[in-house]
C-alpha cells in the first residue's frame, strides 16, 4: 500500500511586523490607563454590608428561612461566629453575632 506524499509546501519569508503596521487580518486594541472599573456584579456593595457594623451580641430578625440562611452564609464568609433561632411568637428568624 503506497501512501500519496504531499509536495513540500513553499513558505514565504516572514516579515517582522511592527505595532504601527499590523497585518491586515489582525485586530488592533487600544490600551488605556486610569479607567475605573464599573461598580457592578461582584465589585458592587454587598447587600449584607450591614454585617460589618454588627457588634458581638447584636442580632437581626428576618421573615424567611431563606433570608436567615443567606445571612448566616454571609457571616460565615466573613469568618464571624453566629447562632440563629426561629421565634414562633413573632414568626421570624433571628440571627445573633457571637464573635
Amino acid at each position: 500500500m503506497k501512501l500519496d506524499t504531499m509536495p513540500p509546501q513553499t513558505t514565504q519569508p516572514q516579515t517582522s511586523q511592527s505595532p504601527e503596521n499590523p497585518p491586515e487580518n489582525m485586530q488592533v486594541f487600544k490600551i488605556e490607563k486610569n479607567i475605573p472599573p464599573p461598580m457592578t456584579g461582584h465589585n458592587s456593595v454587598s447587600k449584607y454590608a450591614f454585617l460589618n457594623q454588627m457588634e458581638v451580641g447584636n442580632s437581626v430578625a428576618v421573615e424567611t428561612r431563606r433570608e436567615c440562611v443567606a445571612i448566616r452564609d454571609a457571616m460565615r464568609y466573613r469568618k464571624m461566629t453566629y447562632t440563629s433561632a426561629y421565634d414562633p411568637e413573632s414568626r421570624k428568624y433571628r440571627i445573633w453575632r457571637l464573635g
Side-chain angles (χ1 to χ4, degrees):
M1 175 183 209
K2 183 177 180 185
L3 297 175
D4 292 332
T5 58
M6 295 187 67
Q9 294 181 347
T10 58
T11 58
Q12 297 177 354
Q14 298 225 355
T15 58
S16 61
Q17 296 288 330
S18 67
E20 294 81 29
N21 298 319
E24 289 181 28
N25 61 350
M26 182 179 197
Q27 187 173 1
V28 179
F29 294 95
K30 180 180 177 185
I31 299 173
E32 300 174 321
K33 294 183 180 184
N34 301 320
I35 307 293
M39 294 302 288
T40 59
H42 293 289
N43 295 330
S44 64
V45 176
S46 168
K47 71 189 231 181
Y48 303 111
F50 69 91
L51 294 175
N52 297 327
Q53 287 140 7
M54 279 185 78
E55 296 177 3
V56 174
N58 290 358
S59 67
V60 62
V62 294
E63 301 284 330
T64 67
R65 184 174 188 280
R66 179 175 281 184
E67 289 174 307
C68 179
V69 170
I71 290 173
R72 289 186 329 204
D73 287 347
M75 292 176 88
R76 185 180 312 115
Y77 179 79
R78 289 170 172 77
K79 307 284 192 251
M80 297 177 176
T81 55
Y82 59 86
T83 190
S84 62
Y86 178 72
D87 180 15
E89 289 181 19
S90 66
R91 301 178 75 188
K92 292 186 178 183
Y93 293 85
R94 186 164 292 278
I95 305 104
W96 288 266
R97 180 173 178 191
L98 302 178

